[in-house]
Amino acid sequence: MSQQVTGQRMERKDEVVIGLEVHIQLNKLNTKLFCSCSTDYHEDEPNTHVCPVCLGMPGAMPVINEMAIKFAVKVALALNADVQPFTVFDRKNYFYPDLPKDFQISQYDRPLAWGGYVTIEAGQGEKKILLKRIHMEEDPGKLSYRGSITTARYSMIDYNRSGMPLLEIVTEPVMNSPKEARQFLNKLRIILEYLDVFDGSLEGAMRIDANISLKGGGRVEIKNISSFKGVEKALTYEITRQKNLKRRGKEVRRETRHFDEINNITVSLRGKEEEQDYRYFPEPDLVPVDATGIIEELRGTIPEMPEQKRIRLAEQYGIGENFAKVLVLDLKMADYFEEVAKSLAEDGINLNVAASWTVDVLRGELNYRSKDFRFAYSILEPAEMVKILKYLTDGKITEKSAVEIIRTILDKGGNVDMIIEEKGLFAIANSEIEKLCREAIEKNPKAVEDYIAGKEQALNFLVGQVMKATRGKADPAETARIINKILS
Amino acid sequence: MITEKDVLHIADLAKIEISEEEVQKFKEDFQSILDYFNILDEVEENVEPSFQVLPLTNVFRKDEVKESLPREDVLRNPKHVEDGYIKGPRVVE
């Protein structure tokens, strides 16, 4: 507790202020923002998902993907933002090899939405991370280099990403630690996945620019952070760097820096354009968007968000608050639990068992295998999990066997009954165990003597003998209880 | 007033080099273009800006994939190509 207090005091002294610009690929769309090229390019060769529009050929005309506007409006509504009925695309001019038209179609003073917020957990309570604006733009292509960026003589350009629909979400400078920034991004990712507009597992799906300043110092912008783990690292590095400058009596000047993800440091970028240098003007090849109808259409369709789900799961299934909190972190995991729970509820089984086996056991086993609940759905259907948990609560299998069944299915497939049959996992009746306990006691008088004399390990030895005789099918705790009963 | 510094800054944004004479020439050209725009000062204030001259909104297409260009065609235009990539300058920072 005292440590926490010190931590807070330190933070207040330095007053770290962080704002984020988050670029989100609406990668669940079929096509790009302004042309009909497929968004499904991640596994494909470079420059195979391009056309005159996304290559910036002279005379090619962009046409807005209506579904992209709908996805964007859906996100803005879910983030409690004020979606604008009238919105305009603009040209942002700058020269960079990844930008084939030499301008990016973005939005400037008439963005899709203003305001909004995301709630995160902070210390004792909740904190609202306020948003400044949400706008749409096209993604540039992707540059890569042979060897390293510093030694390569040229860049290699893949325009497959060019024209991907991006949503830029800009927060107010309201976060006070790298941890809060990570929590915000985590929560944002979960919301986007609930809305089914975004797959965070795809490379480059979320890219972030971070603004950070310490009290009395200039604002530093860190560009090009390509994961939310990177954000915490970049910000932590930057806080240390700025504190060190201050300690040496040097000024933190306002600048733009680049995050080097290999060395986990930030490096100074020179020659960054100022806002007026982008020479924004309304995109003459596109007409404005009147989103009134779309807003009306979508307002009632926003699905249950994580907070609401957490409260409902705890109430509806009578599970612990901590289980509900973890379950909602992944929509697929929450769905999986609900299917299992609905089925078990009919048998009057305490659903904390279902929650624990979903959150603690299955999630752990999936993580260990670098898999997620999508995989669980494909190989260990909720109905099979129900079977395992029924056998377990009926005392037909031990916890150890239940885990073994789950592991076997995740590794090799198969179904529960088949595996129980193959491995002979049905637990042995207590009468049988009692018989084996008596045998173990008879055959090992020395151990019995030791145990009675107070050596606890001797009991483990006796339990071990029974486990051996049943090839692990006896429940160790139950076996120990029986042995104790016989010897007392 | 357009200054030499403005011209050099714009040349820098356009990533082109210009000679001393060109600086002078552009300075005059830019100035006369800006002078022409002074006509706008005669417009009354409080006029809503226009974003498009066309009386249209919501020109959309459906989210349906159409075939992209064959890669041979894509790579026929650029001069420098390597392993399916288009070669570009290294961006010096």
Side-chain angles (χ1 to χ4, degrees):
Chain A
M1 193 62 206
S2 65
Q3 252 182 343
Q4 242 178 3
V5 173
T6 339
Q8 279 172 359
R9 220 177 272 150
M10 272 176 60
E11 210 128 87
R12 206 167 297 147
K13 206 176 81 191
D14 283 297
E15 273 189 85
V16 177
V17 178
I18 297 166
L20 299 176
E21 292 170 21
V22 191
H23 299 86
I24 288 141
Q25 273 190 348
L26 297 174
N27 52 19
K28 288 257 175 136
L29 289 164
N30 298 322
T31 67
K32 295 184 177 179
L33 185 51
F34 299 122
C35 64
S36 301
C37 287
S38 162
T39 56
D40 187 13
Y41 60 81
H42 291 84
E43 308 280 308
D44 292 333
E45 292 286 304
N47 297 308
T48 51
H49 290 250
V50 289
C51 73
V53 173
C54 55
L55 283 173
M57 301 275 187
M61 293 294 256
V63 187
I64 299 169
N65 180 349
E66 182 173 22
M67 197 53 85
I69 302 284
K70 289 190 176 177
F71 274 27
V73 168
K74 221 161 124 176
V75 174
L77 288 173
L79 297 180
N80 317 293
D82 186 10
V83 189
Q84 299 298 298
F86 182 79
T87 182
V88 175
F89 284 95
D90 293 271
R91 284 190 185 182
K92 178 180 182 181
N93 298 280
Y94 65 96
F95 290 160
Y96 211 74
D98 61 10
L99 204 62
K101 295 192 292 291
D102 287 338
F103 60 83
Q104 179 190 30
I105 303 180
S106 179
Q107 296 195 285
Y108 186 51
D109 53 357
R110 300 271 174 158
L112 179 86
W114 295 103
Y117 62 88
V118 169
T119 315
I120 62 166
E121 277 190 48
Q124 272 73 36
E126 288 186 330
K127 178 167 174 176
K128 267 187 185 176
I129 305 300
L130 299 179
L131 307 179
K132 191 180 280 175
R133 55 182 274 154
I134 302 172
H135 75 249
M136 304 188 69
E137 62 186 29
E138 56 178 341
D139 211 346
K142 190 172 192 293
L143 297 185
S144 54
Y145 301 89
R146 285 225 191 286
S148 96
I149 186 167
T150 44
T151 58
R153 294 191 337 273
Y154 50 83
S155 59
M156 293 164 69
I157 315 163
D158 173 9
Y159 288 117
N160 282 347
R161 198 178 75 184
S162 168
M164 277 295 280
L166 285 187
L167 211 54
E168 179 170 333
I169 298 176
V170 184
T171 75
E172 296 285 356
V174 288
M175 283 159 276
N176 300 110
S177 68
K179 188 180 164 212
E180 278 188 12
R182 176 174 51 84
Q183 283 178 314
F184 165 75
L185 293 169
N186 219 349
K187 187 63 176 288
L188 182 61
R189 197 208 66 204
I190 294 167
I191 291 172
L192 294 167
E193 288 181 345
Y194 271 53
L195 294 170
D196 201 23
V197 298
F198 173 75
D199 178 354
S201 70
L202 291 175
E203 193 256 324
M206 195 187 252
R207 306 194 302 278
I208 301 117
D209 298 339
N211 287 299
I212 175 164
S213 62
L214 268 62
K215 197 180 182 184
R219 195 186 75 196
V220 172
E221 183 179 11
I222 313 167
K223 289 279 218 195
N224 194 37
I225 312 172
S226 66
S227 69
F228 55 86
K229 280 182 198 125
V231 170
E232 200 172 7
K233 283 185 194 155
L235 289 172
T236 306
Y237 174 85
E238 199 48 32
I239 290 173
T240 311
R241 188 187 70 87
Q242 295 185 17
K243 277 186 184 168
N244 285 342
L245 281 176
K246 264 171 88 173
R247 192 173 311 133
R248 282 182 278 144
K250 290 189 180 157
E251 186 197 354
V252 179
R253 61 192 174 95
R254 188 172 169 167
E255 64 170 339
T256 301
R257 299 176 72 86
H258 170 96
F259 180 53
D260 172 349
E261 284 195 69
I262 294 159
N263 300 307
N264 282 325
I265 56 167
T266 65
V267 287
S268 188
L269 274 181
R270 278 177 297 117
K272 163 88 170 97
E273 277 101 339
E274 299 280 328
E275 179 155 292
Q276 71 266 21
D277 292 339
Y278 289 126
R279 293 152 290 155
Y280 282 98
F281 62 90
E283 168 57 62
D285 289 341
L286 293 171
V287 297
V289 174
D290 177 351
T292 317
I294 292 174
I295 298 168
E296 285 310 304
E297 179 193 329
L298 295 176
R299 200 178 283 285
T301 70
I302 303 304
E304 182 181 51
M305 288 288 106
E307 261 103 297
Q308 302 157 303
K309 194 184 278 292
R310 175 173 55 88
I311 294 164
R312 180 177 63 79
L313 289 182
E315 272 179 13
Q316 186 174 341
Y317 300 104
I319 58 170
E321 188 61 29
N322 280 335
F323 284 137
K325 234 182 226 177
V326 179
L327 282 168
V328 299
L329 295 179
D330 173 358
L331 183 59
K332 277 268 172 291
M333 172 162 60
D335 287 348
Y336 191 98
F337 163 77
E338 280 209 81
E339 281 189 48
V340 172
K342 271 183 189 146
S343 182
L344 289 178
E346 292 166 17
D347 296 289
I349 293 169
N350 181 341
L351 298 175
N352 278 305
V353 174
S356 168
W357 280 77
T358 308
V359 164
D360 298 330
V361 182
L362 182 53
R363 178 159 155 265
E365 295 294 334
L366 287 167
N367 278 346
Y368 178 71
R369 289 165 179 77
S370 305
K371 301 280 189 195
D372 58 14
F373 272 83
R374 249 183 286 187
F375 177 75
Y377 262 102
S378 72
I379 198 158
L380 175 61
E381 290 164 24
E384 289 290 285
M385 190 66 177
V386 166
K387 216 174 239 178
I388 295 173
L389 295 181
K390 270 190 191 164
Y391 287 148
L392 180 68
T393 45
D394 289 349
K396 286 187 182 150
I397 57 173
T398 61
E399 286 200 0
K400 187 165 164 282
S401 298
V403 172
E404 190 180 343
I405 295 165
I406 291 172
R407 286 181 179 159
T408 307
I409 293 181
L410 293 183
D411 288 333
K412 295 176 197 148
N415 69 59
V416 174
D417 286 325
M418 206 176 78
I419 290 163
I420 289 178
E421 169 97 28
E422 253 170 37
K423 302 200 172 199
L425 292 178
F426 270 132
I428 300 165
N430 275 4
S431 59
E432 176 71 8
I433 293 177
E434 195 173 327
K435 205 185 103 201
L436 291 168
C437 287
R438 286 184 193 283
E439 275 175 33
I441 289 166
E442 235 161 75
K443 282 186 197 157
N444 302 285
K446 178 79 176 63
V448 174
E449 213 172 282
D450 287 350
Y451 178 55
I452 292 169
K455 273 195 188 167
E456 280 295 320
Q457 307 100 292
L459 177 63
N460 292 341
F461 174 79
L462 291 169
V463 171
Q465 296 307 301
V466 176
M467 297 301 287
K468 213 155 118 193
T470 60
R471 287 193 322 207
K473 281 179 272 173
D475 181 63
E478 185 64 13
T479 305
R481 196 185 61 78
I482 293 171
I483 293 175
N484 254 326
K485 205 181 79 189
I486 298 170
L487 291 180
S488 62
Chain B
M1 270 300 280
I2 291 283
T3 64
E4 282 169 25
K5 212 177 138 204
D6 293 328
V7 175
L8 288 170
H9 179 59
I10 288 163
D12 195 41
L13 290 177
K15 307 244 191 296
I16 55 171
E17 278 177 37
I18 52 175
S19 67
E20 187 52 40
E21 292 112 71
E22 283 170 316
V23 173
Q24 294 309 321
K25 184 182 176 302
F26 280 123
K27 202 175 105 177
E28 283 161 31
D29 287 355
F30 287 173
Q31 192 58 57
S32 72
I33 291 167
L34 282 183
D35 288 345
Y36 179 69
F37 273 85
N38 284 340
I39 295 172
L40 289 175
D41 291 344
E42 292 161 23
V43 178
E44 272 177 63
E45 279 180 40
N46 306 325
V47 174
E48 275 287 302
S50 57
F51 299 93
Q52 246 298 348
V53 290
L54 300 172
L56 291 171
T57 56
N58 298 5
V59 178
F60 294 143
R61 76 185 156 75
K62 287 212 158 67
D63 188 28
E64 285 166 5
V65 175
K66 288 191 184 142
E67 205 143 320
S68 297
L69 285 177
R71 188 151 68 150
E72 309 86 76
D73 289 353
V74 174
L75 299 180
R76 220 164 49 190
N77 280 319
K79 246 193 219 160
H80 305 286
V81 166
E82 186 176 306
D83 294 343
Y85 290 90
I86 295 163
K87 280 162 79 172
R90 181 169 82 89
V91 185
V92 190
E93 279 157 354

